[in-house]
Amino acid sequence: MKSSLMLFAAGLTTGLIALAPAASAASCWDLWYERNAIFDDNGYCFSSSLGKRTFDNADCWTRDPALSQWEQRRVAQIKAEERRRGCKVN
């Protein structure tokens, strides 16, 4: 019982972090990384030098990944925050 409760609490905490607004990111780099990590998780093949250095293209398979609705909303939120801040990471 104790370990189940701990796993639930860990999952709840993780969920809250994942739902945090883009504005909570510490820097433009954090926003860029979070946005591109979503693409990397979906098999995106990076072409920029920074993308290639940051994410391993060895397991990529597409230049047009199919993102879930949640991922699409999150990417849109992050892009809006990057525009609001005037971020120019890559």
Side-chain angles (χ1 to χ4, degrees):
M1 178 79 159
K2 190 174 187 180
S3 60
S4 297
L5 183 58
M6 289 170 50
L7 288 174
F8 174 76
L12 184 60
T13 302
T14 302
L16 291 175
I17 291 169
L19 296 175
S24 68
S27 68
C28 287
W29 164 256
D30 293 333
L31 291 167
W32 179 91
Y33 185 89
E34 181 181 353
R35 178 171 49 84
N36 284 287
I38 292 170
F39 283 96
D40 183 57
D41 288 345
N42 285 279
Y44 183 73
C45 297
F46 292 90
S47 59
S48 72
S49 58
L50 180 58
K52 288 177 182 178
R53 282 192 316 268
T54 307
F55 300 100
D56 181 12
N57 267 355
D59 61 348
C60 75
W61 65 86
T62 185
R63 303 274 292 161
D64 187 23
L67 304 180
S68 70
Q69 287 183 345
W70 181 90
E71 289 168 327
Q72 290 173 26
R73 284 192 303 272
R74 187 64 183 147
V75 166
Q77 290 172 339
I78 294 168
K79 284 182 175 181
E81 183 63 20
E82 286 174 315
R83 281 191 301 276
R84 189 187 74 73
R85 293 185 187 195
C87 294
K88 304 283 187 212
V89 171
N90 192 19

